[in-house]
Each structure stands twice: as structure tokens, then as C-alpha cells.
Amino acid sequence: MHFTGTVYRNPYWPTWPLLEVTQGCTHNRCKFCTMYKGLQFRPSPLEWVEQDLAELAQTDPDATTIQLLSANPLVLTYDKLRAILTMIGRYLPKMENVYVAGRVTDLRNKTVEQLRDLGMREISLGVESGDDWTLDRIHKGYHAADVLEQCHKLEDAGIAYWMTFLGGVAGAGHSRDHAINSARVFSQCKPVLVGTGALTLFPGTPLLEEAQRGEFDPLSERGMLEELKLFVEHLDVDCVFVTHHTVAANLTGPNFLDRKERIVAALDRAIKHGDHDRFAAVRRNKRTL
């Protein structure tokens, strides 16, 4: 199998095998991310893809799910994706569900009809924020209106999708707007899952360098919990809710709207009584997103 650099896969997708169809990230400018630093984006040669599928046909011929790698394979044109998906069906005839992560901007070059024809099961979008100031601040390369337009396109195509909210990336001064505006944008969409995490300032990221120069004001552990609580309070979409925050309470589960009050109460307890030093220690031990 051809895998370039570190392999990142969605741990919540019950998908195996993995198939690399692109390498690196087309954008690679988000100020908080180191995942693909030093790795130039390029489509994997089709002969590599076919060689990997031939190998999978021998080792996993009954596979019914597959996840396409790397950062944003959806940036490929419809014709290239169609060719890859046709090849997958030829080598793995029992294939039912294709999963893929991507950027909001990857969907711009495809129509609703093309997305529907590709027949992907679920798409995970690293949205991070629905606040334009924050999106500009962290160099995401799109705005809230783009998020709404492309997510509605997925809905029209009948493709399920996930959205992520990244706490802390706006800094202390803009935290409230980041939380509330993100929740408002997410609530205008129909994600099957909303995932949340909290910023860790990794070595080599522009945000850490800015923080060291006094140009970025990171949130404290309490501040990130308060921001997450504000986001949850304003979020109004029924979905699976997943959080990777360091808070001890298990907030992850289905039926978000039914559990919303309990999640808010758990966050409130963590804000008032949580071991914030321990939360910070957990964060310091993280090595990557």
C-alpha cells in the first residue's frame, strides 16, 4: 500500500480499508495545524491507486466500507473522483459506503448532481468556526456564507456530513463571537454529527509563535470550557454530539437536543469545580490534532 507521511484517519468511522488518493493538503495554511507541514499536495498517481486496490482485492475482497485519504481528496475534479470510485467498485465489488474528509472549499467545483452521482456515504468537514473574523484570523480560506452554501449543497445531494468546531482559536478577545456565530451557522445546517475540540498550541504553528510574541491571547482551560458551554447553549440542531475536550465528563452521544441541558449542566460543573490544572496537563501531552 502507498501511504505518504503520517496517516490520519477518522477514528469514529467504522471504515476499513484506507485508500490514499491524494497526498498532503491543498491549503496547508491554517494557523493551528501541523498535520501536513512539509508535505506538498499532489494527487496520487492512478497507477498507485490501482496497485493498492489490486492488493486490497487479495487481502480484503469482501470490504464494504472504505475511507479515502489524505487531507482533502474531495478537491479532485468530479471526473478524477468518478474514475477512482469506478475503480474501487471494480476491485471491491461488495463496496457499499465511501467516506471522505475535506475542506468546505473542495465542494465548490462540483454540482449537486455530480455529488449525488459520486454516491459517497459521509463527508467530514473541518469547518472550525462560523465566525468570519475568526476564519480570517486562522487563515481557513473561506467564510460563513461558503459553509452554508456548500453544506446545503450536500443536503440537496443527499450526502450526510459532519461539522467540527474548534474552541480557542479566536483567542480570548473574540471568544464570545466565535462561539455564538459558529453555533448560529451550524444550526442553519443539518449535520449528522457536530464534533468539538479545543485548541492546543503545537510547536511550529503560527498561533504558538504569535502567542509567544504577545500577538495572540490564548484562552485558559476555564475560558475554553466557558466558550464550549456558550457554543452548546446556542447550538440548535439535532445530531450526534462529540467532544474531544479535556473535560472529564463524557458529553459524547446521540440526540443532542434531548441531552442539551445535561451537557450544559456538566460543562457548568466543570467550569466551577473541574481540575483545570489536570485538563491543562492533558493538553500539554498532546502531540498532534
Side-chain angles (χ1 to χ4, degrees):
M1 299 295 292
H2 295 88
F3 292 114
T4 306
T6 303
V7 174
Y8 297 96
R9 65 175 297 270
N10 188 323
Y12 291 97
W13 276 336
T15 54
W16 192 263
L18 309 175
L19 180 67
E20 183 178 272
V21 300
T22 62
Q23 302 164 39
C25 174
T26 53
H27 186 64
N28 213 5
R29 294 179 63 235
C30 297
K31 286 190 173 184
F32 56 86
C33 181
T34 60
M35 290 172 65
Y36 298 99
K37 297 300 181 186
L39 182 61
Q40 184 175 358
F41 174 85
R42 70 165 184 162
S44 295
L46 281 180
E47 57 265 31
W48 287 13
V49 176
E50 185 158 18
Q51 287 169 12
D52 289 347
L53 285 169
E55 181 177 337
L56 292 173
Q58 297 298 316
T59 61
D60 207 353
D62 296 326
T64 58
T65 64
I66 197 165
Q67 182 174 339
L68 304 185
L69 305 177
S70 194
N72 56 325
L74 277 174
V75 76
L76 297 176
T77 65
Y78 163 78
D79 289 338
K80 290 182 179 178
L81 280 171
R82 180 73 265 171
I84 291 170
L85 291 169
T86 299
M87 198 182 298
I88 290 172
R90 187 165 71 248
Y91 281 94
L92 300 172
K94 296 184 180 180
M95 183 59 57
E96 297 175 357
N97 301 313
V98 177
Y99 298 76
V100 60
R103 287 175 44 79
V104 169
T105 54
D106 294 346
L107 301 170
R108 289 175 177 167
N109 66 349
K110 296 167 189 68
T111 66
V112 170
E113 291 74 19
Q114 288 174 335
L115 288 168
R116 187 182 295 123
D117 181 63
L118 289 172
M120 290 169 289
R121 171 65 180 273
E122 284 183 1
I123 293 173
S124 178
L125 297 173
V127 178
E128 321 306 1
S129 181
D131 176 68
D132 284 348
W133 184 94
T134 303
L135 290 166
D136 285 340
R137 179 72 176 80
I138 60 176
H139 288 175
K140 282 301 295 184
Y142 51 78
H143 290 127
D146 300 307
V147 175
L148 292 171
E149 180 182 1
Q150 302 308 323
C151 286
H152 292 334
K153 186 186 291 184
L154 290 176
E155 293 159 15
D156 291 342
I159 298 175
Y161 62 93
W162 300 19
M163 302 175 75
T164 60
F165 169 77
L166 183 56
V169 291
H174 210 77
S175 173
R176 181 176 179 83
D177 286 346
H178 170 47
I180 293 175
N181 290 336
S182 296
R184 286 173 177 167
V185 169
F186 283 37
S187 297
Q188 294 176 64
C189 300
K190 297 178 181 178
V192 296
L193 183 146
V194 170
T196 74
L199 176 70
T200 295
L201 292 171
F202 295 112
T205 58
L207 276 188
L208 174 58
E209 295 168 2
E210 291 176 10
Q212 291 170 339
R213 295 194 301 265
E215 299 168 1
F216 177 72
D217 50 347
L219 286 172
S220 64
E221 291 298 320
R222 182 185 298 274
M224 282 195 276
L225 288 168
E226 291 171 342
E227 183 181 83
L228 179 58
K229 178 186 172 187
L230 195 60
F231 173 76
V232 169
E233 287 174 333
H234 287 81
L235 185 64
D236 186 26
V237 59
D238 207 13
C239 60
V240 176
F241 182 77
V242 172
T243 182
H244 297 292
H245 200 285
T246 51
V247 61
N250 183 8
L251 310 180
T252 294
N255 305 316
F256 167 74
L257 292 181
D258 290 341
R259 299 187 305 114
K260 181 173 176 176
E261 291 185 5
R262 281 173 283 168
I263 294 172
V264 170
L267 287 169
D268 195 50
R269 288 192 297 272
I271 291 167
K272 295 176 179 176
H273 307 296
D275 187 346
H276 299 152
D277 289 339
R278 184 173 65 80
F279 298 162
V282 171
R283 188 176 312 288
R284 285 194 299 270
N285 286 329
K286 291 183 177 181
R287 292 295 176 262
T288 186
L289 288 170

